[in-house]
Amino acid sequence: MRQEDSLERLGRRDSRWIRHKYGEYAGHPDGGLDGGAGLDRDEAGSVEILLEEGLENGGKHARIATVSPTPSKRAERESSPTYGLSRLYMAGIPPSSWIASWRERLFNLTSTSSFEYTAVEMNDRSVAEFHATEVQPRKISMQDMAGGIDIGGEGVEITNAKPIFIMEKEETSNSAASLSSFEDDEPTEEEKRTLRKVADRLPWSAYLVAMVELCERFTYYGLSGPFQNYIQNSYNDPSELPGAIGLGQTAATGLTDFFQFWCYVTPILGAIISDQYLGKYNTILYSSFVYLTGVLILFCTSLPTAIEHGAALGGLIVAMIVIGLGTGGIKSNVSPLIAEQYRGTKQTIRVEKNGERVIVDPGVTIQRIYMIFYLCINVGSLSSIATTEMEKHTGYWTAFLLCLCLFACGIVILFAGKRFYVLRAPRGSVIVHSFKAMWIGLKNKGNMEAAKPSYQEEYGRKDKTPWNDLFIDEVKRGLVACRVFVFYPIYWVVYSQMLNNFVSQAATMELYGIPNDIMQNIDAITIIIFIPIVDRIVYPGLRKIGIPFRPVTRITMGFVFAALSMAYAAIVQHLIYNAPPCYNAPLACPAANDSDPNKIHVAVQTPAYFLIGLSEIFASITGLEYAFTKAPPSMKSFVMSIFLLQSAFGSALGIALAPTAKDPKLVWMYTGLCIATIITAGLFWVLFKKYNATEETMNALEDKGEKAVAATEVGATGGHSHIAEAA
């Protein structure tokens, strides 16, 4: 390989090794950044390479690296005064933050060039020398992205200089399989059309966030699983079903729908607090203590003595409100937080061990992250197996105590892992500015381009626009997601049937000693079994044969499965109404003796839960993915809360349907939901299938936005704001 080829390869691939966005380099003696690569040879024959990928967020991507002679010329290099100072200079980044890269070892071993890639940690003296003799003459503008001023060398940890192989620490998420090749170039358009797309390896901090969510969902479903019986049946009920308050099915369905509604309205508040004031981590932490307080109230008022003295209903309502507030702060932030742990934004080429060239796709990686996230949610939801058994045999207070203990464990995990998380700092008034931008668009007949500063300059500035054009592009992308979410309330009405009316339906069937509310766990078991199958076999198989199965298609498929679930539930209800002894008045005729159900086995319900589980894999998981990938970087929590808000609207519709949730109207209720969901699926597909074609284009905006940083850097680096930049 010729020397020029080696330099070209290093220039082409350096962004995965040494990229760092930090201000603007004004020029270079050998042509600087305008030519794409400036070269400066020192006395030892080392060649310094400056590379530029173009403007981004108002600053250039500037990177300086040095390649040095191979071992055959090492003696010449060692005799040079500059030996030991071959360097990777990343404007002001502490050397203690750099880590070893086996990929660079592989590059050095496999390259036959007369040059090798050499990088060492620098001590404070060498940084100062380099800054004084080479950096200052280039007239560096050391302005960070938020407009602040940084001094070269400040914050650099003094270390003993020693040769190491270096990689920027955000590269730790790269797949081990990628080490089988040093082909890390971005794919061409032809390669994007022909090569298979695969997910990258996930950072372990993502699994840590998933464990926190598992504990929270364990608590949520462990509490809500027994709620229908807790509210519907009386304490020591003659039917021998567990209970505490005795308000009946209609009131129980209404209260459980209210709880779900409240838990999915409050994420709006949690998102605003997070995106503007506290950040995701702090919002989750403080909300967790609020949540814990609510669970404690529920536990205390579910003790037998409290139920006997009439405290159960009041305690339940207060607990629902407090838990809902805590849920809002957690749900709107934990979903985007887990995806932010992965920091890749560009597609890259990787050669697998079998020689196959594939594209490592951030979009596919995010899809896998939410598959794993949802898997953890449903592992946690299996808590209702334990709590429904405990309500029947040991009392509600033991079930709620178990939830209290597990949630406390989740807080411990959240607190202990703080220093490992990748976080974005809050952005102040970004949500306010987003609504202002949308108002400008509405005033211009829905034309969001009118909110761009460039548009205002061209057509006469009529409105203040304290942001840049990219910010408006990101808001438009977020609005695409919000339009897609409009159809979700119908889906969530169907989903909520599993939590209330399916439980009541099971109570009218032959149970053979099992709790009537344990059947809902079939949904979670279905999801746990089929998520790995879909993620590892179905989706990759479809991609391999050229079927991308994009988000709008997946969501439509989820709606169809939900409709099939309602159709099956209507059939089951019809079978119940045609079975003795009470036919269309289960448990309400003299022949029932207040406890004899209609003669149909509860296992007949199983396919309804199975179909809802499949629908969640396609509709719910993809909704989370869509909310994250289409949201502007500084509004991830807010757009996620808009998605969660659709569940609240679904619960509101469920409350409106509650009067029909009684015998003998249930067949028509399920049939109506089936028809409504099928119509929704058809309209959804017709209106939004066009977004499948622009999926990758919309996702590409993520690479132009701000980047997340490690938790330990948030206070120091602040972060970039499109608004600060424009100002």
mmCIF file of all heavy atoms in Angstrom, residues 311-341:
data_model
loop_
_atom_site.group_PDB
_atom_site.id
_atom_site.type_symbol
_atom_site.label_atom_id
_atom_site.label_comp_id
_atom_site.label_asym_id
_atom_site.label_seq_id
_atom_site.Cartn_x
_atom_site.Cartn_y
_atom_site.Cartn_z
ATOM 1 N N ALA A 311 -61.300 2.572 55.589
ATOM 2 C CA ALA A 311 -60.246 3.438 55.057
ATOM 3 C C ALA A 311 -59.792 3.033 53.660
ATOM 4 O O ALA A 311 -59.025 3.757 53.022
ATOM 5 C CB ALA A 311 -59.038 3.432 56.003
ATOM 6 N N ALA A 312 -60.262 1.893 53.168
ATOM 7 C CA ALA A 312 -59.722 1.343 51.915
ATOM 8 C C ALA A 312 -60.015 2.250 50.721
ATOM 9 O O ALA A 312 -59.125 2.510 49.897
ATOM 10 C CB ALA A 312 -60.285 -0.055 51.669
ATOM 11 N N LEU A 313 -61.253 2.743 50.591
ATOM 12 C CA LEU A 313 -61.609 3.547 49.424
ATOM 13 C C LEU A 313 -60.856 4.873 49.402
ATOM 14 O O LEU A 313 -60.268 5.250 48.379
ATOM 15 C CB LEU A 313 -63.116 3.798 49.389
ATOM 16 C CG LEU A 313 -63.627 4.654 48.225
ATOM 17 C CD1 LEU A 313 -63.269 4.023 46.888
ATOM 18 C CD2 LEU A 313 -65.137 4.873 48.330
ATOM 19 N N GLY A 314 -60.853 5.591 50.514
ATOM 20 C CA GLY A 314 -60.124 6.861 50.571
ATOM 21 C C GLY A 314 -58.638 6.672 50.334
ATOM 22 O O GLY A 314 -58.005 7.439 49.596
ATOM 23 N N GLY A 315 -58.075 5.641 50.971
ATOM 24 C CA GLY A 315 -56.652 5.367 50.781
ATOM 25 C C GLY A 315 -56.337 5.015 49.341
ATOM 26 O O GLY A 315 -55.285 5.417 48.808
ATOM 27 N N LEU A 316 -57.220 4.268 48.694
ATOM 28 C CA LEU A 316 -57.000 3.888 47.299
ATOM 29 C C LEU A 316 -56.967 5.113 46.397
ATOM 30 O O LEU A 316 -56.074 5.245 45.541
ATOM 31 C CB LEU A 316 -58.109 2.939 46.840
ATOM 32 C CG LEU A 316 -58.101 2.577 45.351
ATOM 33 C CD1 LEU A 316 -56.922 1.669 45.033
ATOM 34 C CD2 LEU A 316 -59.413 1.924 44.940
ATOM 35 N N ILE A 317 -57.920 6.015 46.576
ATOM 36 C CA ILE A 317 -57.988 7.202 45.714
ATOM 37 C C ILE A 317 -56.768 8.093 45.902
ATOM 38 O O ILE A 317 -56.156 8.560 44.934
ATOM 39 C CB ILE A 317 -59.292 7.981 45.980
ATOM 40 C CG1 ILE A 317 -60.498 7.135 45.518
ATOM 41 C CG2 ILE A 317 -59.276 9.325 45.269
ATOM 42 C CD1 ILE A 317 -61.835 7.729 45.880
ATOM 43 N N VAL A 318 -56.377 8.323 47.171
ATOM 44 C CA VAL A 318 -55.176 9.132 47.427
ATOM 45 C C VAL A 318 -53.941 8.456 46.837
ATOM 46 O O VAL A 318 -53.098 9.101 46.189
ATOM 47 C CB VAL A 318 -54.996 9.368 48.938
ATOM 48 C CG1 VAL A 318 -53.654 10.040 49.218
ATOM 49 C CG2 VAL A 318 -56.138 10.211 49.486
ATOM 50 N N ALA A 319 -53.827 7.150 47.034
ATOM 51 C CA ALA A 319 -52.680 6.421 46.505
ATOM 52 C C ALA A 319 -52.642 6.482 44.986
ATOM 53 O O ALA A 319 -51.564 6.648 44.384
ATOM 54 C CB ALA A 319 -52.725 4.965 46.973
ATOM 55 N N MET A 320 -53.791 6.350 44.332
ATOM 56 C CA MET A 320 -53.830 6.441 42.869
ATOM 57 C C MET A 320 -53.306 7.790 42.384
ATOM 58 O O MET A 320 -52.538 7.867 41.415
ATOM 59 C CB MET A 320 -55.262 6.233 42.372
ATOM 60 C CG MET A 320 -55.725 4.791 42.336
ATOM 61 S SD MET A 320 -57.422 4.667 41.688
ATOM 62 C CE MET A 320 -57.547 2.904 41.394
ATOM 63 N N ILE A 321 -53.695 8.856 43.056
ATOM 64 C CA ILE A 321 -53.261 10.200 42.644
ATOM 65 C C ILE A 321 -51.760 10.369 42.840
ATOM 66 O O ILE A 321 -51.047 10.850 41.948
ATOM 67 C CB ILE A 321 -54.044 11.270 43.426
ATOM 68 C CG1 ILE A 321 -55.525 11.236 43.012
ATOM 69 C CG2 ILE A 321 -53.453 12.654 43.192
ATOM 70 C CD1 ILE A 321 -56.424 12.110 43.852
ATOM 71 N N VAL A 322 -51.253 9.958 43.999
ATOM 72 C CA VAL A 322 -49.827 10.127 44.291
ATOM 73 C C VAL A 322 -48.977 9.228 43.392
ATOM 74 O O VAL A 322 -47.958 9.663 42.829
ATOM 75 C CB VAL A 322 -49.541 9.839 45.781
ATOM 76 C CG1 VAL A 322 -48.048 9.911 46.067
ATOM 77 C CG2 VAL A 322 -50.299 10.829 46.664
ATOM 78 N N ILE A 323 -49.380 7.983 43.240
ATOM 79 C CA ILE A 323 -48.638 7.067 42.364
ATOM 80 C C ILE A 323 -48.659 7.577 40.924
ATOM 81 O O ILE A 323 -47.648 7.490 40.206
ATOM 82 C CB ILE A 323 -49.231 5.644 42.444
ATOM 83 C CG1 ILE A 323 -48.953 5.032 43.813
ATOM 84 C CG2 ILE A 323 -48.649 4.744 41.347
ATOM 85 C CD1 ILE A 323 -49.682 3.721 44.057
ATOM 86 N N GLY A 324 -49.784 8.122 40.496
ATOM 87 C CA GLY A 324 -49.870 8.674 39.147
ATOM 88 C C GLY A 324 -48.893 9.812 38.922
ATOM 89 O O GLY A 324 -48.275 9.918 37.855
ATOM 90 N N LEU A 325 -48.738 10.677 39.923
ATOM 91 C CA LEU A 325 -47.760 11.766 39.810
ATOM 92 C C LEU A 325 -46.345 11.212 39.666
ATOM 93 O O LEU A 325 -45.553 11.684 38.839
ATOM 94 C CB LEU A 325 -47.854 12.684 41.027
ATOM 95 C CG LEU A 325 -49.076 13.590 41.112
ATOM 96 C CD1 LEU A 325 -49.135 14.270 42.477
ATOM 97 C CD2 LEU A 325 -49.040 14.637 39.999
ATOM 98 N N GLY A 326 -46.022 10.218 40.475
ATOM 99 C CA GLY A 326 -44.703 9.601 40.378
ATOM 100 C C GLY A 326 -44.494 8.901 39.048
ATOM 101 O O GLY A 326 -43.424 8.996 38.437
ATOM 102 N N THR A 327 -45.527 8.213 38.576
ATOM 103 C CA THR A 327 -45.434 7.523 37.296
ATOM 104 C C THR A 327 -45.161 8.497 36.160
ATOM 105 O O THR A 327 -44.372 8.209 35.249
ATOM 106 C CB THR A 327 -46.739 6.752 37.008
ATOM 107 O OG1 THR A 327 -46.956 5.796 38.039
ATOM 108 C CG2 THR A 327 -46.674 6.036 35.674
ATOM 109 N N GLY A 328 -45.797 9.666 36.194
ATOM 110 C CA GLY A 328 -45.601 10.653 35.136
ATOM 111 C C GLY A 328 -44.160 11.092 35.005
ATOM 112 O O GLY A 328 -43.641 11.242 33.893
ATOM 113 N N GLY A 329 -43.489 11.307 36.135
ATOM 114 C CA GLY A 329 -42.092 11.719 36.078
ATOM 115 C C GLY A 329 -41.169 10.616 35.608
ATOM 116 O O GLY A 329 -40.115 10.881 35.014
ATOM 117 N N ILE A 330 -41.552 9.368 35.853
ATOM 118 C CA ILE A 330 -40.704 8.239 35.453
ATOM 119 C C ILE A 330 -40.949 7.852 34.004
ATOM 120 O O ILE A 330 -40.010 7.740 33.203
ATOM 121 C CB ILE A 330 -40.949 7.032 36.382
ATOM 122 C CG1 ILE A 330 -40.535 7.367 37.820
ATOM 123 C CG2 ILE A 330 -40.186 5.805 35.889
ATOM 124 C CD1 ILE A 330 -40.939 6.323 38.844
ATOM 125 N N LYS A 331 -42.220 7.649 33.628
ATOM 126 C CA LYS A 331 -42.540 7.105 32.308
ATOM 127 C C LYS A 331 -42.074 8.000 31.169
ATOM 128 O O LYS A 331 -41.608 7.510 30.142
ATOM 129 C CB LYS A 331 -44.048 6.871 32.187
ATOM 130 C CG LYS A 331 -44.573 5.698 32.983
ATOM 131 C CD LYS A 331 -44.040 4.371 32.457
ATOM 132 C CE LYS A 331 -44.569 4.018 31.079
ATOM 133 N NZ LYS A 331 -44.052 2.726 30.597
ATOM 134 N N SER A 332 -42.205 9.305 31.312
ATOM 135 C CA SER A 332 -41.840 10.197 30.211
ATOM 136 C C SER A 332 -40.333 10.296 30.021
ATOM 137 O O SER A 332 -39.871 10.748 28.960
ATOM 138 C CB SER A 332 -42.405 11.598 30.459
ATOM 139 O OG SER A 332 -41.890 12.135 31.668
ATOM 140 N N ASN A 333 -39.556 9.862 30.992
ATOM 141 C CA ASN A 333 -38.112 10.045 30.932
ATOM 142 C C ASN A 333 -37.311 8.750 30.802
ATOM 143 O O ASN A 333 -36.250 8.738 30.194
ATOM 144 C CB ASN A 333 -37.638 10.807 32.178
ATOM 145 C CG ASN A 333 -38.128 12.233 32.184
ATOM 146 O OD1 ASN A 333 -37.690 13.052 31.389
ATOM 147 N ND2 ASN A 333 -39.063 12.546 33.063
ATOM 148 N N VAL A 334 -37.821 7.666 31.365
ATOM 149 C CA VAL A 334 -37.045 6.437 31.324
ATOM 150 C C VAL A 334 -37.007 5.857 29.911
ATOM 151 O O VAL A 334 -35.992 5.270 29.498
ATOM 152 C CB VAL A 334 -37.591 5.410 32.344
ATOM 153 C CG1 VAL A 334 -38.900 4.797 31.874
ATOM 154 C CG2 VAL A 334 -36.567 4.332 32.637
ATOM 155 N N SER A 335 -38.075 6.050 29.128
ATOM 156 C CA SER A 335 -38.096 5.523 27.757
ATOM 157 C C SER A 335 -37.058 6.193 26.864
ATOM 158 O O SER A 335 -36.298 5.506 26.171
ATOM 159 C CB SER A 335 -39.495 5.659 27.154
ATOM 160 O OG SER A 335 -40.437 4.919 27.892
ATOM 161 N N PRO A 336 -36.967 7.532 26.828
ATOM 162 C CA PRO A 336 -35.887 8.136 26.040
ATOM 163 C C PRO A 336 -34.513 7.943 26.667
ATOM 164 O O PRO A 336 -33.510 7.866 25.945
ATOM 165 C CB PRO A 336 -36.263 9.617 25.982
ATOM 166 C CG PRO A 336 -37.201 9.846 27.105
ATOM 167 C CD PRO A 336 -37.925 8.554 27.316
ATOM 168 N N LEU A 337 -34.433 7.854 27.995
ATOM 169 C CA LEU A 337 -33.132 7.700 28.644
ATOM 170 C C LEU A 337 -32.442 6.423 28.209
ATOM 171 O O LEU A 337 -31.231 6.411 27.963
ATOM 172 C CB LEU A 337 -33.296 7.722 30.164
ATOM 173 C CG LEU A 337 -31.997 7.562 30.972
ATOM 174 C CD1 LEU A 337 -31.046 8.726 30.714
ATOM 175 C CD2 LEU A 337 -32.307 7.455 32.467
ATOM 176 N N ILE A 338 -33.180 5.321 28.075
ATOM 177 C CA ILE A 338 -32.539 4.067 27.702
ATOM 178 C C ILE A 338 -31.990 4.137 26.283
ATOM 179 O O ILE A 338 -30.905 3.615 25.995
ATOM 180 C CB ILE A 338 -33.499 2.873 27.871
ATOM 181 C CG1 ILE A 338 -32.740 1.555 27.688
ATOM 182 C CG2 ILE A 338 -34.676 2.954 26.920
ATOM 183 C CD1 ILE A 338 -33.551 0.331 28.016
ATOM 184 N N ALA A 339 -32.701 4.796 25.370
ATOM 185 C CA ALA A 339 -32.215 4.894 23.996
ATOM 186 C C ALA A 339 -31.035 5.848 23.888
ATOM 187 O O ALA A 339 -30.160 5.669 23.029
ATOM 188 C CB ALA A 339 -33.344 5.341 23.076
ATOM 189 N N GLU A 340 -30.975 6.853 24.753
ATOM 190 C CA GLU A 340 -29.854 7.792 24.720
ATOM 191 C C GLU A 340 -28.545 7.161 25.172
ATOM 192 O O GLU A 340 -27.474 7.734 24.960
ATOM 193 C CB GLU A 340 -30.172 9.013 25.589
ATOM 194 C CG GLU A 340 -31.175 9.952 24.954
ATOM 195 C CD GLU A 340 -31.505 11.138 25.829
ATOM 196 O OE1 GLU A 340 -30.999 11.190 26.979
ATOM 197 O OE2 GLU A 340 -32.268 12.011 25.377
ATOM 198 N N GLN A 341 -28.612 5.997 25.782
ATOM 199 C CA GLN A 341 -27.376 5.328 26.180
ATOM 200 C C GLN A 341 -26.578 4.889 24.958
ATOM 201 O O GLN A 341 -25.364 4.716 25.023
ATOM 202 C CB GLN A 341 -27.679 4.120 27.072
ATOM 203 C CG GLN A 341 -28.469 4.439 28.331
ATOM 204 C CD GLN A 341 -27.909 5.621 29.097
ATOM 205 O OE1 GLN A 341 -26.775 5.595 29.575
ATOM 206 N NE2 GLN A 341 -28.701 6.683 29.211
#
